[in-house]
Amino acid sequence: MYDLLIKNGFLIDGTGEKGYYGDLAVVGERIVKIAETISDEAKIVIDAEGKMVSPGFIDVHTHDDLVFDLDPMNTPKLRQGITTVIVGNCGFGSAPAAKHCRQDLAAYNAPILGSQAWDLLFETFGEYLDHMEYIEKAVNVACLVPHGAVYMSAAKTEGAEPEEKVLNREREYVAEAMEAGALGLSLGLMYAPG
C-alpha cells in the first residue's frame, strides 16, 4: 500500500522533457512509482485532474531569513510550489552579529528582513543555522553568509583600523560560516557597506 497516490495529473519531471498525463505513488518521502495508471491502494489518494504535478521549485533570491519565526510554513512560497528558498542574499542577514554592531546591523536589515531583525541577531553563523534547524519548517532553507553582516562585525566602530586587519577578521567570519554550513558568500555591492 502506498502512503500517497496522485492520480490523473499532468506530470512534469523537471528534466526538460515534455509533460505527460499519469499517476504518481509515494511511500514515506520517496516517489516509488510513476505510470500511466496505478491502481494499487493508497492511504491518501489525490485526484489531480486538470492540475500539474511537478518537483518543487527553488527560489534562489529571497529575503526570507527571518520569516520562519513568524510563519514556519512560509505560506506564500509554499502556495506557489516553492519547496526550497535561498536566504542571506544581497549582503543582508542576521549573522554574524558582533556585539559592537548589533544596533547598526538591525537598522541595516530591518527594511529588508522586517521588524523582527531588531530581535533576531546571532553572534555566529552557526548559531543562526542552529536557530533555523530548531524551527519546524515546511520548506527547505539554504543559507548564504551575508557580506554586510560580515563587514559590520569585522569592522570596529572606534576609529579607523588597518584594512588588512579588518579583511582578516572578515575571512575568519566567512570561514566559520562555511564550516557551519553556508552555501557561499552573498554581496550587496550597491548597498553600503558592500
Side-chain angles (χ1 to χ4, degrees), residues 7-194:
K7 300 200 50 80
N8 308 312
F10 187 71
L11 306 177
I12 306 289
D13 65 11
T15 64
E17 296 294 320
K18 286 186 172 183
Y20 53 93
Y21 289 94
D23 297 350
L24 182 146
V26 176
V27 173
E29 295 183 6
R30 202 171 266 275
I31 296 171
V32 294
K33 187 174 183 181
I34 299 173
E36 189 174 318
T37 303
I38 299 174
S39 56
D40 301 322
E41 291 188 32
K43 294 174 187 171
I44 299 170
V45 177
I46 297 173
D47 185 359
E49 187 174 353
K51 299 196 172 32
M52 204 176 290
V53 179
S54 73
F57 296 98
I58 301 170
D59 188 344
V60 298
H61 186 159
T62 77
H63 294 289
D64 294 344
D65 306 57
L66 305 176
V67 162
F68 298 96
D69 289 276
L70 302 174
D71 178 11
M73 297 293 286
N74 199 347
T75 306
K77 297 294 171 78
L78 199 55
R79 286 187 175 165
Q80 295 174 67
I82 294 169
T83 56
T84 301
V85 297
I86 310 291
V87 301
N89 285 291
C90 301
F92 292 96
S94 59
K99 287 181 175 48
H100 71 84
C101 73
R102 288 186 170 213
Q103 287 294 101
D104 290 338
L105 183 57
Y108 174 71
N109 285 330
I112 304 298
L113 302 183
S115 61
Q116 62 273 29
W118 290 95
D119 301 317
L120 294 169
L121 294 167
F122 303 89
E123 184 102 17
T124 68
F125 200 78
E127 288 173 6
Y128 170 68
L129 292 179
D130 288 345
H131 175 76
M132 292 301 288
E133 190 68 30
Y134 175 75
I135 299 170
E136 291 188 30
K137 300 170 294 304
V139 300
N140 301 305
V141 180
C143 307
L144 298 169
V145 59
H147 175 258
V150 167
Y151 177 81
M152 288 181 179
S153 290
K156 300 292 184 186
T157 55
E158 59 284 335
E161 280 195 281
E163 188 175 321
E164 192 62 30
K165 199 169 184 180
V166 174
L167 283 172
N168 284 336
R169 279 199 296 270
E170 286 186 273
R171 289 181 185 109
E172 290 170 8
Y173 279 118
V174 171
E176 180 275 324
M178 296 300 290
E179 288 171 15
L183 289 180
L185 173 71
S186 79
L187 302 171
L189 299 180
M190 64 186 287
Y191 310 108

